[in-house]
Amino acid sequence: MQQNDQNKNTGCLCFGKKQKGEFPKTFKKSEKILKKYKDNSLDISDDAILEVMIRLYISENKNKAIDMLQRCRINPNYQTNQIRNDLEYFIPQLINFLVFHQQLQDERLIQFINNASQIDFFFAHLVYFQLKSLSQIVAHNNRIELKIVQKFVKEFEQKMTLNYQGNLLIATQFLKIHLDDSITSSTLRKSITSLSSKKIKQEVYQGSLRIKSIKQNEVVRLYGTNQWEQEMSNKSPSQYLIRNHDDIELEDYISIFENNEDIIKPIDTAFQSNINFWYDITKICDELSKSNSKTEYLHSLLNKMNINLPAAVYVPFVKNSIRNYAVLNIVSRESRVFSTKMRSPYSLTLEIYRPEIEEDYNEQQLIDKQMSLAIKTSMIKTQSQDIIQEQLNAQMNSTYSLAEAQKIFNNEFQNIKFNQFNYQNNEQVSDGIGQFYNYRQTNNQDSDQQDEMIDQQNIFQQPSFSNATDDQSNDKEIEQISNQKQQSELVDQSKLEISSFNSRVSYLQDGKGLVLTQEEYQEMKQVIFGENAMAQQERIKKQSPFQSLKSWQLVHLIIKTGDNLKQEQFALQLICQFDQIFKKEGLPLKLRYYEVLSLGPDCGIIEMIKNATTIDSLQKNLQKKFTQFSDFSDFFRSYFRNNIEQALQNYVQSLAAYCLVCYFLQVKDRHNGNILLDDEGNLIHIDFGFFLSISPGKGMEFEGKVPFKLLSDYIKVLGGVKGTLFQNHFRKLFYKGFKACQKHQNEILLLVEMMYTGHGTTLPCFQKGEVALKELENRFNPRVASDAELFVYVQELINKSLDNWRARWYDKFQYFAQGIFY
């Protein structure tokens, strides 16, 4: 780091002095920031994992906290409708503490993480990717190497590679662990015992060293490669169909960039294979920048990867248990590149299957139930002498040591100064993932940019709308205050009476929208939402030699490099936590969110939401192709006419849910390119590069004083501000959701505060430092004396957001800057 960069210390939020050995202030202040949660009670239940985590951060006796961790379940429970109560969910906070608070020097904590990783394949990979993400601090073109973290990652990788030698999928470990324990269900025990005693191909349950197959099915070998088109193009699918799942050999995946010194060749282990596979997937983004014909080059690289597939690799997402599936093939022809000046993110479609359930597909629920049983580090069996000796040999050859960590860590942290990154609020955000939902437009639609422009005189007119004027907002505010007693009688209900929904809103169909013919509806569906996910799956399946597999399905991803996806991953963790709060309280608030996983300092994978389009893309289509609709509301009632009640219910529940999230987290950059509408009427927000304390726009922060985005275009779908849906459902839903979030605010505050006291100092969302934490807490706790006053306060938030001129002008700014329609 150059000397002139080191002197830029004015206003630094991380350091108080420039003396050697000085750690970021947030480490020192963690006790102060988190002390309000301090409780000396030792009576903590095993499932109170968040309570255990906070004690790890603030307890003077870390050994007791680590003992508590031993009792916590490691793996998620697939039977609880995604209510996360497992340690895996808190891996970002756990690794944050290990690296930034303990500086990789706490032997007991390291041993616990190693033990947990040794019995949980998924946990091990997620720990690896989180550590890998922290091995560099990246912001714009600034990179600070944390070499001691890199060495620790390498050691961890070697240990897990050795630990999982011979194993292919996580089912090996999960099922073997519980097979030796008492199982109450005799049927389940019989099922698992029977399965494990069969000749399960690929040794999925055995965990023993595999015997390589000498003969390999030619179709499996060629499918998805460049040779496939040449040799199979004239054949029908029936001629190359794989009818026996035994023909599929899950080999190790070897990187196509294997000359890279960072890549370790696998030694008969799925752990290393998975790392190599995702390395290649993200490396391709960098390779694409070297080519002018990016899409063609992308397809050729993916076909090259297919030479090593099927393999013992998986998608490390939790949702729908997708990670229990092995990757069969990359459908390269479905991949598309979105190029920016410096980056080339792309979409990815994978064929996957679940090998252990192919022979007994009807046993899937029993197996999932078995895999949902709690796994804890106390379940680790006594190690054999051979394994102990192998570990001792590995330690002798170690490149990482605690003594080295203590020596190096202080020096490395001298370079982590927040002001060095100089996060700019005026950076371009046009390469967000919203662009991936617009590719379905034809070239003719995109060829003439002028066609997308609208009359500037109309743009610069003062906002005018029929249902949301300032006078009406003020009148409504007065009305709310005058009816406090009446409203307070409603706020004590624990759940909304959704049963009355249909009868209340059915009148909205009368005289609203257009009646579409079947042909008009299908054309609109294709143009706006693109190919339906199920239709795409059936189309690809018909051409796949794996179509006979009972568990075959597709998964869709977005691959990005050059971005700090740690912040995006953190934002989605918080949104997931809000979703859990709504579920715990039984509220019909819908957050259809996606998964994000940071795989390295500046790369990762993002789940792609299917059957959805951006509001920007929708508006462009309404102005250019479907001009018979007067506005978004007219389109909504026309398109969803045959199922309008359910669509409106989805719409109001998702609108209220995301309004709450955007308010509490202060999510910004909410233009129509970052908001989706799916084909069931749900609103979905994407791209969370700006939240908590950072907003786009230098000196032009239009969204700065807007509680959340609530334009009249959205409210008009609900019948306007005086409509029944808005008055009796949106307002009530928002209030009840606010109360639920307030009740469970610690679940959000803890996640945020723990991240801030560690590596959060390097995330843009913490640019304002402790002020961001205080403002977040204040949003949960407004100064009101009663529920009635809280109800009025919440309604005022809604009124202030109604077609706020700042939000409206931000949309206008985005239109001129990036052509995003509003």
Side-chain angles (χ1 to χ4, degrees):
M1 186 64 62
Q2 296 180 355
Q3 183 67 31
N4 60 346
D5 289 333
Q6 290 181 349
N7 291 335
K8 295 178 182 179
N9 196 38
T10 304
C12 177
L13 297 175
C14 300
F15 289 80
K17 299 179 181 179
K18 297 198 306 185
Q19 299 176 358
K20 184 177 180 180
E22 182 76 18
F23 289 106
K25 282 184 177 180
T26 52
F27 301 171
K28 293 182 174 181
K29 291 185 177 181
S30 62
E31 183 74 17
K32 173 185 174 183
I33 293 171
L34 299 169
K35 67 179 181 179
K36 56 190 170 186
Y37 306 105
K38 195 165 186 177
D39 184 357
N40 295 325
S41 173
L42 298 179
D43 186 19
I44 301 175
S45 62
D46 296 354
D47 60 354
I49 298 180
L50 193 57
E51 293 290 326
V52 176
M53 286 296 300
I54 195 61
R55 277 154 184 76
L56 183 67
Y57 272 74
I58 66 177
S59 175
E60 295 180 0
N61 188 343
K62 302 301 181 186
N63 288 334
K64 289 184 178 180
I66 295 173
D67 287 339
M68 293 179 188
L69 287 175
Q70 308 279 351
R71 305 199 308 263
C72 295
R73 72 174 294 148
I74 299 169
N75 58 310
N77 184 349
Y78 298 117
Q79 312 293 317
T80 59
N81 192 26
Q82 292 302 302
I83 297 295
R84 298 299 299 272
N85 195 26
D86 54 271
L87 195 58
E88 180 192 290
Y89 180 70
F90 298 99
I91 283 178
Q93 285 73 26
L94 183 64
I95 300 304
N96 170 64
F97 179 79
L98 174 67
V99 172
F100 290 98
H101 284 262
Q102 299 302 101
Q103 296 92 51
L104 297 170
Q105 296 174 44
D106 191 316
E107 294 188 42
R108 283 207 67 194
L109 184 58
I110 292 174
Q111 186 59 46
F112 167 77
I113 292 174
N114 284 335
N115 289 344
S117 299
Q118 286 172 0
I119 63 173
D120 187 330
F121 194 76
F122 297 143
F123 191 92
H125 269 131
L126 293 178
V127 166
Y128 170 83
F129 289 131
Q130 189 68 28
L131 285 166
K132 187 79 172 177
S133 297
L134 297 185
S135 62
Q136 284 182 347
I137 305 301
V138 180
H140 300 289
N141 295 323
N142 296 317
R143 289 175 180 266
I144 295 178
E145 301 278 342
L146 296 182
K147 295 182 180 179
I148 192 63
V149 179
Q150 293 173 356
K151 289 184 178 182
F152 184 85
V153 171
K154 188 174 182 180
E155 288 293 314
F156 181 83
E157 182 179 354
Q158 291 174 344
K159 288 179 181 178
M160 293 305 113
T161 297
L162 178 64
N163 180 73
Y164 288 104
Q165 184 174 355
N167 292 327
L168 281 166
L169 296 176
I170 184 57
T172 306
Q173 301 298 318
F174 273 60
L175 296 177
K176 284 177 63 180
I177 288 173
H178 286 303
L179 200 59
D180 300 330
D181 300 332
S182 61
I183 302 177
T184 57
S185 172
S186 59
T187 305
L188 182 60
R189 170 174 286 279
K190 181 179 179 181
S191 170
I192 300 301
T193 305
S194 175
L195 281 172
S196 61
S197 63
K198 293 179 181 179
K199 184 182 179 182
I200 303 298
K201 306 308 175 190
Q202 312 311 322
E203 298 283 350
V204 174
Y205 293 105
Q206 308 308 320
S208 58
L209 290 175
R210 291 169 283 159
I211 299 175
K212 298 288 184 181
S213 174
I214 298 176
K215 181 181 178 181
Q216 187 177 28
N217 186 294
E218 191 71 4
V219 171
V220 175
R221 186 180 69 85
L222 293 178
Y223 180 53
T225 66
N226 291 330
Q227 285 183 269
W228 178 259
E229 295 294 334
Q230 302 171 5
E231 300 188 22
M232 300 295 181
S233 59
N234 296 325
K235 296 182 180 180
S236 64
S238 61
Q239 293 179 279
Y240 53 72
L241 195 63
I242 301 297
R243 302 185 183 278
N244 189 348
H245 66 273
D246 293 348
D247 291 337
I248 302 172
E249 180 76 16
L250 291 179
E251 299 288 350
D252 293 314
Y253 180 84
I254 300 176
S255 171
I256 63 173
F257 304 106
E258 60 180 318
N259 291 331
N260 190 297
E261 61 181 7
D262 293 333
I263 294 296
I264 302 175
K265 292 185 178 180
I267 51 173
D268 194 32
T269 171
F271 184 83
Q272 186 61 53
S273 289
N274 212 50
I275 291 175
N276 289 352
F277 178 79
W278 292 110
Y279 173 87
D280 281 3
I281 290 295
T282 54
K283 177 70 173 178
I284 285 176
C285 281
D286 299 328
E287 293 295 312
L288 291 177
S289 62
K290 305 174 184 178
S291 173
N292 293 326
S293 302
K294 289 181 169 53
T295 298
E296 182 179 349
Y297 188 42
L298 169 65
H299 292 172
S300 67
L301 290 175
L302 295 178
N303 287 342
K304 189 175 181 181
M305 289 185 65
N306 275 331
I307 296 175
N308 294 325
L309 296 177
V313 296
Y314 70 97
V315 180
F317 286 161
V318 178
K319 191 177 294 184
N320 300 325
S321 308
I322 204 72
R323 60 184 181 180
N324 295 330
Y325 290 70
V327 176
L328 288 165
N329 178 64
I330 303 171
V331 191
S332 59
R333 65 182 180 274
E334 299 293 319
S335 295
R336 291 172 173 81
V337 182
F338 172 70
S339 297
T340 63
K341 292 182 179 179
M342 300 179 61
R343 306 165 188 169
S344 296
Y346 66 93
S347 60
L348 189 70
T349 300
L350 305 175
E351 291 182 68
I352 59 177
Y353 89 121
R354 193 169 174 181
E356 75 268 24
I357 66 174
E358 277 299 317
E359 192 162 345
D360 292 279
Y361 191 68
N362 59 340
E363 303 282 2
Q364 180 176 354
Q365 290 186 342
L366 289 173
I367 294 176
D368 285 343
K369 182 177 180 180
Q370 183 76 353
M371 293 180 67
S372 292
L373 296 175
I375 290 183
K376 305 176 182 181
T377 56
S378 58
M379 294 179 175
I380 295 179
K381 303 297 186 293
T382 304
Q383 296 177 323
S384 67
Q385 190 62 38
D386 292 339
I387 295 178
I388 293 175
Q389 186 59 48
E390 288 176 345
Q391 292 184 348
L392 290 174
N393 293 338
Q395 291 175 7
M396 291 179 64
N397 298 324
S398 174
T399 59
Y400 165 83
S401 68
L402 296 178
E404 184 182 26
Q406 187 173 8
K407 179 181 179 181
I408 295 177
F409 216 89
N410 289 2
N411 294 331
E412 290 185 344
F413 262 96
Q414 296 309 301
N415 291 326
I416 305 181
K417 294 182 174 66
F418 191 94
N419 64 305
Q420 288 178 335
F421 299 123
N422 191 25
Y423 292 105
Q424 297 294 327
N425 290 355
N426 61 342
E427 64 183 65
Q428 293 295 319
V429 293
S430 60
D431 60 342
I433 64 174
Q435 299 293 329
F436 284 94
Y437 299 92
N438 299 339
Y439 69 78
R440 59 180 61 90
Q441 295 181 352
T442 64
N443 292 331
N444 290 335
Q445 288 175 300
D446 293 332
S447 61
D448 190 352
Q449 184 68 23
Q450 295 301 319
D451 290 342
E452 297 180 355
M453 301 299 289
I454 61 177
D455 192 339
Q456 292 188 14
Q457 292 182 356
N458 291 334
I459 292 178
F460 281 106
Q461 288 176 354
Q462 289 298 323
S464 61
F465 38 88
S466 59
N467 291 320
T469 64
D470 292 337
D471 291 339
Q472 288 172 332
S473 295
N474 292 334
D475 290 342
K476 187 60 193 174
E477 192 171 326
I478 295 172
E479 180 184 347
Q480 294 292 349
I481 296 175
S482 64
N483 292 330
Q484 283 185 33
K485 293 183 179 180
Q486 180 181 356
Q487 297 291 0
S488 62
E489 295 175 0
L490 300 174
V491 300
D492 293 329
Q493 299 175 9
S494 60
K495 296 182 180 180
L496 294 175
E497 297 179 0
I498 299 301
S499 59
S500 62
F501 189 97
N502 292 351
S503 61
R504 290 182 178 181
V505 303
S506 59
Y507 78 93
L508 288 174
Q509 298 179 75
D510 299 335
K512 303 292 183 179
L514 303 176
V515 178
L516 304 175
T517 66
Q518 186 64 24
E519 292 74 15
E520 289 173 331
Y521 174 81
Q522 290 299 331
E523 178 190 10
M524 187 182 304
K525 183 177 182 180
Q526 177 64 33
V527 172
I528 292 178
F529 292 105
E531 186 179 24
N532 181 271
M534 292 302 297
Q536 181 188 28
Q537 182 161 306
E538 286 304 311
R539 172 174 58 81
I540 295 174
K541 190 174 185 178
K542 287 180 180 178
Q543 300 300 318
S544 173
F546 301 120
Q547 61 183 267
S548 296
L549 297 176
K550 301 173 185 176
S551 59
W552 182 96
Q553 62 176 286
L554 295 179
V555 63
H556 307 274
L557 307 171
I558 296 171
I559 314 301
K560 291 191 74 175
T561 61
D563 281 340
N564 186 354
L565 287 182
K566 292 188 292 293
Q567 173 161 301
E568 185 92 357
Q569 178 179 318
F570 176 47
L572 268 298
Q573 183 190 33
L574 294 175
I575 293 174
C576 175
Q577 195 66 39
F578 276 106
D579 183 55
Q580 294 183 67
I581 290 172
F582 298 149
K583 288 176 180 176
K584 290 174 184 177
E585 293 299 308
L587 293 174
L589 287 161
K590 293 186 176 181
L591 288 172
R592 185 184 174 189
Y593 56 92
Y594 53 97
E595 290 198 53
V596 176
L597 181 62
S598 177
L599 300 177
D602 61 348
C603 64
I605 57 177
I606 302 170
E607 177 190 6
M608 190 170 190
I609 298 174
K610 298 298 292 181
N611 304 334
T613 185
T614 63
I615 302 296
D616 164 51
S617 177
L618 172 60
Q619 296 283 26
K620 288 176 181 177
N621 276 302
L622 295 184
Q623 293 197 30
K624 294 173 59 177
K625 189 174 182 64
F626 303 110
T627 56
Q628 66 268 40
F629 303 110
S630 59
D631 53 24
F632 174 52
S633 175
D634 195 26
F635 158 78
F636 193 96
R637 291 191 177 86
S638 302
Y639 183 83
F640 295 108
R641 172 172 290 275
N642 294 331
N643 194 28
I644 188 64
E645 286 85 1
Q646 184 61 52
L648 284 170
Q649 181 172 317
N650 294 339
Y651 181 85
V652 69
Q653 291 172 359
S654 58
L655 177 63
Y658 271 107
C659 283
L660 284 163
V661 168
C662 288
Y663 170 68
F664 285 116
L665 298 184
Q666 285 297 284
V667 181
K668 301 303 181 183
D669 195 31
R670 295 301 88 193
H671 56 71
N672 284 338
N674 285 341
I675 302 175
L676 306 181
L677 176 74
D678 71 10
D679 61 359
E680 294 181 349
N682 294 291
L683 286 177
I684 306 139
H685 285 239
I686 58 175
D687 276 354
F688 299 97
F690 299 93
F691 73 105
L692 287 182
S693 65
I694 184 170
S695 301
K698 189 174 183 180
M700 296 176 63
E701 298 182 9
F702 293 117
E703 302 172 290
K705 296 182 180 180
V706 185
F708 51 89
K709 185 171 184 175
L710 190 61
L711 300 184
S712 59
D713 298 347
Y714 299 160
I715 299 304
K716 193 174 180 181
V717 176
L718 304 179
V721 293
K722 291 187 177 181
T724 303
L725 271 177
F726 183 72
Q727 292 291 353
N728 292 353
H729 288 271
F730 177 85
R731 286 187 180 273
K732 191 186 299 183
L733 270 173
F734 189 90
Y735 171 76
K736 287 186 172 293
F738 194 103
K739 286 276 290 182
C741 294
Q742 188 180 55
K743 176 181 177 181
H744 298 277
Q745 60 182 283
N746 283 358
E747 297 177 17
I748 303 295
L749 293 173
L750 278 172
L751 292 178
V752 173
E753 290 168 354
M754 283 190 285
M755 291 297 280
Y756 171 72
T757 61
H759 104 92
T761 57
T762 66
L763 295 180
C765 63
F766 292 115
Q767 188 179 55
K768 291 168 64 175
E770 289 183 55
V771 174
L773 307 183
K774 186 62 178 177
E775 289 178 347
L776 174 62
E777 186 175 6
N778 289 342
R779 286 192 290 274
F780 282 109
N781 301 285
R783 295 181 178 179
V784 295
S786 65
D787 283 354
E789 288 187 18
L790 179 63
F791 185 87
V792 174
Y793 176 85
V794 168
Q795 302 313 311
E796 288 177 347
L797 288 178
I798 296 173
N799 294 338
K800 289 177 182 177
S801 301
L802 279 172
D803 222 0
N804 187 288
W805 70 269
R806 293 177 180 272
R808 176 64 70 181
W809 273 93
Y810 183 69
D811 278 351
K812 293 179 180 181
F813 172 77
Q814 288 297 328
Y815 173 75
F816 282 117
Q818 303 186 55
I820 296 175
F821 272 46
Y822 63 95

